[in-house]
Amino acid sequence: MNYTIRTQPASTRDAVYLKLREQIMKLELPPGTPLSENETSTLFQVSRTPVRESFLRLAQEGLVQVLPQRGTFVSLIDTELVEEGRFMREQLERSVIRLACDYFPESSLAQLELNLQQQKDCMAREKDKDMFELDETFHRILFEGCRKSNIWAVIGHMNIHLNRSRMLRLADDHRWEHLYDQHERMTQAIREHDADGAEQLMREHLSLNITDQTLLKQKYPNYYK
């Protein structure tokens, strides 16, 4: 399949970079996948220059690894960075959900309710990529409702390895009821201004990644560093 990048020349590099990043994050390009400048430029119907620049940018983010004499590969998932990202999210999100229990706009609560309905619909269709996006959106709404959008943006840059691991978990096992249930109970805790209950739910919610890592690393050893 070819991906035609319909942009002006100045933005071709960004378009290629964003598409490759999306494919890596959603595991369409799994960890360890070899990358070729020639093949990628043909696939996207662009010159090699924006592809080369995109590879360098992705390497700086830790998504691509350049091995001398061997080539360029999608980086393996680093379990230490997964845990570091999870730890950061837990600390920040426990604080944010406490803020939400103190005050959270009705418009943001309505967004959470809509998101929950979309999650329920997604579970019936077993669309793992859609579920990942809805999961991310649920947490983003919490930050936006508490006027902490910039912190959410920082989390996004720090959670590259964690997010790939989460995506793998959703794709591996479509039993997402527990994930939905925790989101629903968090929303209810916010409505009831139950800060202690909401914080405990968030701690349990994000601690699931610890167990998931052990199981996923056993099942997909070639994906992990």
Side-chain angles (χ1 to χ4, degrees):
M1 179 183 296
N2 289 335
Y3 300 95
T4 303
I5 303 297
R6 295 184 176 88
T7 60
Q8 297 300 316
S11 62
T12 298
R13 175 187 60 191
D14 290 340
V16 172
Y17 158 76
L18 289 171
K19 185 60 180 179
L20 285 171
R21 192 180 193 280
E22 178 187 10
Q23 291 177 329
I24 293 172
M25 295 301 295
K26 292 185 176 181
L27 303 180
E28 293 170 12
L29 290 173
T33 300
L35 298 173
S36 162
E37 285 185 16
N38 286 332
E39 291 178 3
T40 305
S41 63
T42 299
L43 188 66
F44 286 99
Q45 299 181 24
V46 299
S47 70
R48 290 178 59 184
T49 299
V51 173
R52 184 181 306 113
E53 292 173 344
S54 296
F55 283 0
L56 289 173
R57 188 171 173 184
L58 291 166
Q60 291 171 349
E61 291 187 23
L63 285 173
V64 162
Q65 185 177 20
V66 180
L67 301 176
Q69 311 303 320
R70 291 183 56 191
T72 301
F73 301 84
V74 176
S75 66
L76 300 179
I77 299 173
D78 188 323
T79 51
E80 290 188 8
L81 293 178
V82 169
E83 171 53 24
E84 188 174 321
R86 186 210 63 80
F87 177 82
M88 179 183 68
R89 278 196 66 166
E90 180 185 327
Q91 304 310 307
L92 292 172
E93 296 211 39
R94 283 166 54 190
S95 297
V96 163
I97 203 165
R98 290 192 73 92
L99 288 176
C101 288
D102 182 50
Y103 172 75
F104 202 63
E106 278 297 327
S107 59
S108 296
L109 268 171
Q111 290 180 55
L112 289 182
E113 296 288 357
L114 176 60
N115 180 274
L116 286 170
Q117 183 57 55
Q118 291 171 331
Q119 287 184 43
K120 187 178 291 186
D121 295 341
C122 189
M123 285 193 294
R125 293 182 287 112
E126 296 189 349
K127 297 288 187 179
D128 46 82
K129 294 181 178 63
D130 291 348
M131 193 64 181
F132 176 83
E133 293 296 339
L134 288 168
D135 185 8
E136 283 287 278
T137 299
F138 181 91
H139 291 267
R140 174 174 55 78
I141 293 169
L142 293 178
F143 280 80
E144 289 178 347
C146 295
R147 303 181 67 179
K148 296 292 183 286
S149 297
N150 289 329
I151 295 177
W152 177 253
V154 171
I155 288 175
H157 288 293
M158 293 289 292
N159 274 351
I160 288 171
H161 289 268
L162 174 61
N163 284 344
R164 284 199 294 165
S165 177
R166 289 172 54 223
M167 184 69 245
L168 182 60
R169 167 66 177 81
L170 290 172
D172 178 71
D173 186 350
H174 288 172
R175 291 174 296 178
W176 303 328
E177 291 80 7
H178 189 50
L179 176 69
Y180 170 83
D181 179 64
Q182 288 183 326
H183 284 156
E184 186 178 43
R185 289 163 62 199
M186 280 187 248
T187 302
Q188 186 61 30
I190 292 171
R191 282 199 176 278
E192 296 175 356
H193 305 285
D194 179 8
D196 290 340
E199 182 182 357
Q200 179 60 30
L201 281 167
M202 185 64 78
R203 181 188 291 111
E204 293 173 2
H205 182 65
L206 294 175
S207 68
L208 290 175
N209 288 294
I210 298 175
T211 303
D212 291 343
Q213 282 310 292
T214 301
L215 297 175
L216 290 171
K217 195 170 182 179
Q218 292 174 351
K219 192 168 184 178
Y220 301 95
N222 294 334
Y223 281 10
Y224 283 84
K225 184 176 178 180

